[in-house]
């Protein structure tokens, strides 16, 4: 449970961390320029980057889609509650920071199953005084546990935005659709789904090469078509918001992604390709770079 998770014994946390196998949350952290990862995660990221040298743009534009979606739903749609499943490691613009800048009373519950994320979860609990945040140490495969824990912070009598950002491609079909159905069934009318998903529709050669590097490391990695992504919304009766299911960089672009810090001249010369990623500007993106669909929808 949320409070119990954060009080977990440090020795138990260390026991749970498997540094011999890459974890999606930590590989994602590598591409975002984070430090909370291990050599095995960096090796997985390096292999993916070698397979698709512009692949970091999928990760960065996926994250920027989440920024824009939270900004839109909070600022234009009046959403004040978020359930972010598959949170990943804390980064510069976490959901509660975006939402509470606009609406200080916003409430956010984060969910992840990586003990490394749990070890750093206090960084996700820096809520402003008028809002609330919480963290649940749980797996997407157990929606009932997630919903029970989230109900301690969120009011399920009021709209909730469910964020499933770059997580469902790690879940096979026989579980993915029922899990999403169970989560959405628990949400009241007016709630929203924020979803992004890897696909082979757009640039299949690039993303299949990346898929191979991850499946070789034991990841489940399901690439879904546009119709299969839409199904997460339509079969649950959700109304798809404009502009529909689109490549992530085309979902209501505002060209306001935070600019990366720029090092002194010559500094990049001594870095390998993976280390250079954190300094790349993502505004040079083209359609040939992106393999991620993004969409939001409303529960009527």
């Amino acid at each position: 449970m949320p409070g119990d998770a954060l009080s977990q014994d440090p020795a138990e946390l260390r026991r749970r961390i498997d540094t011999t196998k890459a974890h999606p949350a930590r590989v994602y952290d590598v591409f975002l320029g984070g430090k909370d990862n291990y050599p095995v995660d960096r090796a997985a990221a390096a292999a993916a980057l070698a397979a698709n040298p512009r692949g970091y743009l999928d990760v960065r534009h996926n994250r920027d889609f989440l920024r824009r979606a939270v900004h839109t739903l909070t600022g234009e749609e009046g959403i004040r509650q978020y359930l972010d499943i598959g949170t990943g490691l804390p980064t510069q613009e976490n959901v509660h920071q975006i939402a509470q800048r606009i609406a200080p009373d916003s409430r956010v519950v984060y969910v992840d199953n990586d003990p490394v994320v749990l070890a750093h979860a206090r960084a996700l609990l820096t809520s402003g005084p008028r809002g609330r945040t919480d963290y649940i140490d749980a797996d997407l495969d157990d929606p009932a546990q997630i919903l029970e824990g989230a109900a301690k912070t969120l009011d399920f009598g009021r709209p909730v935005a469910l964020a499933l950002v770059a997580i469902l491609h790690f879940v096979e079909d026989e579980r993915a659709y029922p899990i999403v159905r169970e989560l959405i069934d628990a949400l009241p009318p007016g709630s929203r789904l924020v979803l992004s998903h890897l696909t082979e529709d757009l640039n299949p050669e690039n993303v299949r090469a990346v898929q191979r590097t991850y499946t070789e490391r034991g990841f489940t990695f399901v690439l879904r078509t546009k119709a299969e992504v839409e199904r997460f919304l339509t079969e649950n009766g959700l109304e798809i918001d404009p502009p529909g299911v689109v490549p992530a960089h085309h979902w209501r672009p505002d060209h306001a992604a935070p600019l990366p810090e720029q090092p002194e001249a010559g500094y990049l010369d001594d870095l390998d390709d993976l280390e250079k990623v954190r300094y790349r500007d993502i505004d040079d993106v083209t359609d040939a770079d992106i393999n991620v669909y993004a969409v939001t929808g409303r529960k009527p």
Side-chain angles (χ1 to χ4, degrees), residues 278-290:
R278 75 176 64 191
Y279 302 106
R280 302 295 192 198
D281 187 347
I282 66 173
D283 286 333
D284 66 343
V285 66
T286 70
D287 289 349
D289 295 320
I290 296 300

Side-chain angles (χ1 to χ4, degrees), residues 105-157:
D105 60 337
S106 296
R107 297 184 173 200
V108 179
V109 172
Y110 296 104
V111 183
D112 209 291
N113 69 342
D114 182 2
V116 175
V117 179
L118 173 59
H120 294 273
R122 293 190 190 280
L124 296 171
L125 303 180
T126 55
S127 174
R130 292 174 54 191
R132 287 184 63 187
T133 62
D134 213 335
Y135 180 88
I136 301 172
D137 177 28
D139 196 295
L140 177 61
D141 204 47
D142 191 350
Q145 180 190 358
I146 291 171
L147 293 167
E148 180 185 359
K152 296 182 178 182
T153 299
L154 305 180
D155 176 1
F156 280 90

Side-chain angles (χ1 to χ4, degrees), residues 8-16:
Q8 193 168 123
D9 179 66
E12 172 62 17
L13 264 181
R14 287 193 295 271
R15 187 195 63 78
R16 286 181 55 193

Side-chain angles (χ1 to χ4, degrees), residues 19 63 76 81 118 136 178 182 227 239:
T19 61
R63 187 72 194 183
E76 299 178 16
Q81 302 189 106
L118 173 59
I136 301 172
E182 185 172 346
E239 300 168 348

Side-chain angles (χ1 to χ4, degrees), residues 199-248:
T199 183
E200 61 182 352
D201 286 356
L202 305 175
N203 300 291
E205 185 175 344
N206 288 350
V207 76
R208 286 173 189 157
V210 172
Q211 181 186 39
R212 284 193 295 273
T213 71
Y214 286 147
T215 54
E216 287 168 359
R217 287 162 171 79
F219 290 3
T220 297
F221 209 79
V222 183
L223 301 172
R224 293 189 171 95
T225 65
K226 182 176 182 178
E228 289 168 333
V229 172
E230 285 180 341
R231 183 183 158 196
F232 285 113
L233 293 93
T234 56
E235 78 169 18
N236 291 301
L238 302 187
E239 300 168 348
I240 297 178
D241 298 322
V245 177
V246 295

Side-chain angles (χ1 to χ4, degrees), residues 5-287:
L6 289 182
S7 62
Q8 193 168 123
D9 179 66
E12 172 62 17
L13 264 181
R14 287 193 295 271
R15 187 195 63 78
R16 286 181 55 193
I17 296 171
D18 184 356
T19 61
T20 67
K21 183 179 178 181
H23 190 284
R26 303 195 304 260
V27 176
Y28 197 81
D29 181 63
V30 175
F31 281 117
L32 292 176
K35 301 288 189 181
D36 301 311
N37 48 72
Y38 295 92
V40 67
D41 306 305
R42 293 190 285 276
L49 193 66
N52 180 16
R54 301 272 287 173
Y56 66 90
L57 288 165
D58 277 330
V59 176
R60 299 272 298 281
H61 275 280
N62 175 75
R63 187 72 194 183
D64 199 54
F65 156 66
L66 177 62
R67 176 189 65 81
R68 299 194 307 276
V70 173
H71 194 277
T72 298
L73 294 182
T74 308
E76 299 178 16
E77 304 292 341
I79 295 294
R80 297 293 180 267
Q81 302 189 106
Y82 290 86
L83 177 56
D84 180 4
I85 303 178
T87 298
L89 284 144
T91 185
Q92 290 179 335
E93 287 282 89
N94 300 299
V95 170
H96 73 281
Q97 293 165 318
I98 302 166
Q100 290 183 358
R101 271 201 303 271
I102 301 167
D105 60 337
S106 296
R107 297 184 173 200
V108 179
V109 172
Y110 296 104
V111 183
D112 209 291
N113 69 342
D114 182 2
V116 175
V117 179
L118 173 59
H120 294 273
R122 293 190 190 280
L124 296 171
L125 303 180
T126 55
S127 174
R130 292 174 54 191
R132 287 184 63 187
T133 62
D134 213 335
Y135 180 88
I136 301 172
D137 177 28
D139 196 295
L140 177 61
D141 204 47
D142 191 350
Q145 180 190 358
I146 291 171
L147 293 167
E148 180 185 359
K152 296 182 178 182
T153 299
L154 305 180
D155 176 1
F156 280 90
R158 297 168 48 229
V160 175
L162 169 65
L164 297 172
V165 174
I167 186 173
L168 289 171
H169 43 250
F170 297 115
V171 186
E172 297 286 2
D173 283 351
E174 62 268 19
R175 288 295 299 140
Y177 292 100
I179 285 169
V180 174
R181 185 181 309 117
E182 185 172 346
L183 290 167
I184 290 176
D185 281 350
L187 303 181
S191 293
R192 310 303 276 258
L193 176 64
V194 178
L195 186 150
S196 66
H197 200 295
L198 279 166
T199 183
E200 61 182 352
D201 286 356
L202 305 175
N203 300 291
E205 185 175 344
N206 288 350
V207 76
R208 286 173 189 157
V210 172
Q211 181 186 39
R212 284 193 295 273
T213 71
Y214 286 147
T215 54
E216 287 168 359
R217 287 162 171 79
F219 290 3
T220 297
F221 209 79
V222 183
L223 301 172
R224 293 189 171 95
T225 65
K226 182 176 182 178
E228 289 168 333
V229 172
E230 285 180 341
R231 183 183 158 196
F232 285 113
L233 293 93
T234 56
E235 78 169 18
N236 291 301
L238 302 187
E239 300 168 348
I240 297 178
D241 298 322
V245 177
V246 295
H249 63 308
H250 289 313
W251 194 92
R252 306 189 190 187
D254 61 7
H255 308 290
L259 292 174
E261 60 176 308
Q262 292 304 305
E264 296 179 0
Y267 177 77
L268 296 181
D269 296 344
D270 297 326
L271 301 183
D272 63 29
D273 290 342
L274 189 60
E275 292 171 321
K276 291 177 182 176
V277 164
R278 75 176 64 191
Y279 302 106
R280 302 295 192 198
D281 187 347
I282 66 173
D283 286 333
D284 66 343
V285 66
T286 70
D287 289 349

